[in-house]
Structure formats: structure tokens, C-alpha cells
Amino acid sequence: MMRSRVKENTMLFVLIFSLTGGFCSAKDNKPPDTKPVQSCPSCKHGGQTGMWTYMTCIPGAPGAPGRDGAKGDLGSPGKTGTQGPRGADGKKGAKGEIGIQGSAGQKGERGDKGDSGTPRLASHLNWKECAWKKAYNTDSGLIYVSADRHFVTQLRSFVLRPGDNRFYYTNCDFVKKYADTALHVYYAGNLRIHGCDNCCSRWYFTFNGAECSSPGTIDGAFYLYRLGQNLSPHYQRHIEGHCNNIQKGKVRVGFSVGKCVTGHKLADAYTGWHSMNRIFIEEVPKAQQ
């Protein structure tokens, strides 16, 4: 009776021990250990040495996290993702450098004929030049232009003096086509003053007997300070300018010599010397404002 009860207790212990998984160290987190039946001197049931059967350990509490492992190998590239939404416009960038000039484009088609414009003046369409080769020895007055070209050709070194009626034209006449244009004029020739100290002579243009007022007079002044009695400086000169507000039609353009506006005494003036004298007249559009 006693022996059968011990046997039943032993069987019950083994069953309970198997169900609870036995008692193992919490240190190891290995798969359950199985041990063969062995003698357990300290385990006696009813004075008998108990016998262990195969048993399973209960897992212990999780241990502390270990250190980070070594970096793994680079993984293969992932697939291209879907395109994201359009971002907001950025700020305007700085102006770039000028690019290389492109090649010429193809010739365009002929355009429609435009409306007729207001008739305007081409500068080369209306001009005149009066030229002569003679000397004019007067200190004050209009410089004469010869009407007798054959006479002037024969007397190239002839000196014209006031009152000589063989020279009729005292002006270079010009026909102006438009009222809202200007006249461009210049004189080119040899001018000289002589025989005085601290003296002055002025050559200037006139239009219908009056000097230009818009934008101003067209003239040139020549002055001798000292040693004028012994000097005779024949120099090629050029006097040029534009004149506005001249009416349409015939215009008498004159070239004169006289006293300077500075108040200096009048010099001994000489116009033309072994070279051509020229008065050039041209009708041009008015200057921009």
C-alpha cells in the first residue's frame, strides 16, 4: 500500500515537472535541453533514488540588448519610385551671360505694302555748290561770286576790288523746297589778315541779307596780336553750320567779311589765294529737339 502510494507520487511529480518545463538557468536562451535519465542522488522518494526522465527547460527572462553588429554589405538599388507632385516655383535667378549668336534664320515672306508716308527730304536730293578761283581784297562787305567763268579762268591771279562790274553775282542763290527744313552751309577756301597788331576780321554767312539766328550765326573770327605788320598768314579755312527758320523758295546765301564783335580794330582782310573758294548749300531735315 505504502509502495504503491510512493509510486503514484513519483509519477505525479514527473508529470508536473514535465508540464512546467523543469528548472533551467535564465541565462541561456537556447532551445530546450533534453537530458537522459540519470541518477539524482539528492532526489529520493520514499528512500529510493529518483530517476530523471527527459525534460524541457522553461525560457528565462530576456537578457539586455547586445552591442550593434558590424555594418552589413551594401544592398542592391531599389526600384525607381513614382514621380512626386510639382514643387513650388523657385526665385528668379541672376541674369546669365550673353550666349553665342545663333545662325541666321530663313528669309521671311514679303510683307504687305505699307501706307504712303508724308513726303520727306533726302539730304542728297537738293544741294548746290558755288565755286570760283580768284582773290578778293576787301576788308568789309560781300564776297563776290563771278558770273563770267571764262573771264575768271583767264585771270586766275586777278585780284577783285570793290566796284569792278565784271563780277555780277554777290550771292549763291538756292531754291529751298520745304518750309520745315534747315539749310546746311559751309565755306572752304584761303583767308588771311595782315598789316596790323591787335586786330581782327570776321567772315560770316547771310541768308537773304541777314545772319542766321537759329541756332546762331555761322561765322569765323581771325585775330593778330603782335608782329602783324610783318606777317601775312595765308591759311586754308573752313566755316560751317546749319540754319533753321528759313522760308520755302529762293534764298540768297551770301558770304561776307567785316569787323569782329569783340571791338578790335578791323584788319586788312584777304579772301582767296591761289586756290578754289567754295560755298556749299544743302537742304536737310531739322535736327532733333
Side-chain angles (χ1 to χ4, degrees):
M1 183 84 175
M2 180 66 72
R3 187 174 291 181
S4 63
R5 188 171 294 176
V6 169
K7 189 176 181 179
E8 289 176 0
N9 290 339
T10 302
M11 295 290 288
L12 181 61
F13 177 81
V14 171
L15 179 61
I16 294 172
F17 195 89
S18 297
L19 291 176
T20 58
F23 300 100
C24 298
S25 172
K27 227 188 267 186
D28 299 325
N29 198 14
K30 298 179 181 178
D33 294 332
T34 56
K35 296 180 181 181
V37 176
Q38 61 183 0
S39 298
C40 184
S42 59
C43 300
K44 294 182 178 180
H45 301 281
Q48 295 183 359
T49 301
M51 298 299 290
W52 293 101
T53 61
Y54 286 96
M55 59 186 175
T56 302
C57 296
I58 298 174
R67 297 182 179 178
D68 292 341
K71 185 177 180 181
D73 295 336
L74 183 67
S76 58
K79 295 181 179 179
T80 304
T82 57
Q83 185 174 356
R86 179 185 175 88
D89 293 338
K91 295 181 180 179
K92 185 176 180 179
K95 185 177 181 181
E97 298 179 356
I98 297 176
I100 301 173
Q101 183 174 356
S103 56
Q106 296 180 350
K107 185 176 181 180
E109 297 180 359
R110 184 185 181 94
D112 298 333
K113 185 176 180 180
D115 298 332
S116 298
T118 304
R120 300 301 298 168
L121 175 71
S123 62
H124 65 279
L125 292 181
N126 192 23
W127 63 274
K128 182 178 180 181
E129 180 178 289
C130 296
W132 69 98
K133 189 174 184 179
K134 65 180 182 294
Y136 188 70
N137 188 18
T138 184
D139 300 336
S140 181
L142 218 61
I143 306 301
Y144 283 77
V145 179
S146 174
D148 189 344
R149 295 184 180 180
H150 177 70
F151 178 74
V152 175
T153 302
Q154 290 179 331
L155 302 176
R156 292 182 182 276
S157 60
F158 179 77
V159 176
L160 176 65
R161 300 186 184 279
D164 194 321
N165 56 10
R166 288 171 291 181
F167 294 85
Y168 304 103
Y169 293 166
T170 58
N171 296 281
C172 186
D173 293 338
F174 183 81
V175 178
K176 192 169 180 282
K177 293 183 178 181
Y178 302 95
D180 61 343
T181 57
L183 288 186
H184 168 219
V185 298
Y186 69 75
Y187 167 83
N190 192 288
L191 304 177
R192 178 275 277 160
I193 58 175
H194 164 73
C196 58
D197 291 336
N198 198 27
C199 54
C200 181
S201 290
R202 183 176 76 101
W203 279 264
Y204 54 94
F205 277 94
T206 59
F207 302 89
N208 295 326
E211 290 195 63
C212 182
S213 60
S214 175
T217 58
I218 304 172
D219 60 356
F222 304 99
Y223 170 77
L224 278 179
Y225 178 47
R226 291 180 180 176
L227 304 178
Q229 296 288 342
N230 301 321
L231 296 177
S232 185
H234 290 274
Y235 293 138
Q236 191 73 9
R237 313 285 187 175
H238 186 96
I239 300 172
E240 182 176 11
H242 292 77
C243 192
N244 302 319
N245 302 334
I246 299 175
Q247 79 280 3
K248 172 183 174 181
K250 183 178 178 179
V251 181
R252 293 179 292 110
V253 180
F255 189 63
S256 301
V257 63
K259 192 173 183 180
C260 293
V261 296
T262 57
H264 292 90
K265 64 182 178 181
L266 190 63
D268 179 2
Y270 199 95
T271 305
W273 186 76
H274 296 288
S275 62
M276 293 295 294
N277 296 276
R278 285 183 174 83
I279 293 176
F280 179 83
I281 310 167
E282 179 184 27
E283 187 174 6
V284 296
K286 280 189 175 182
Q288 62 181 351
Q289 299 301 317

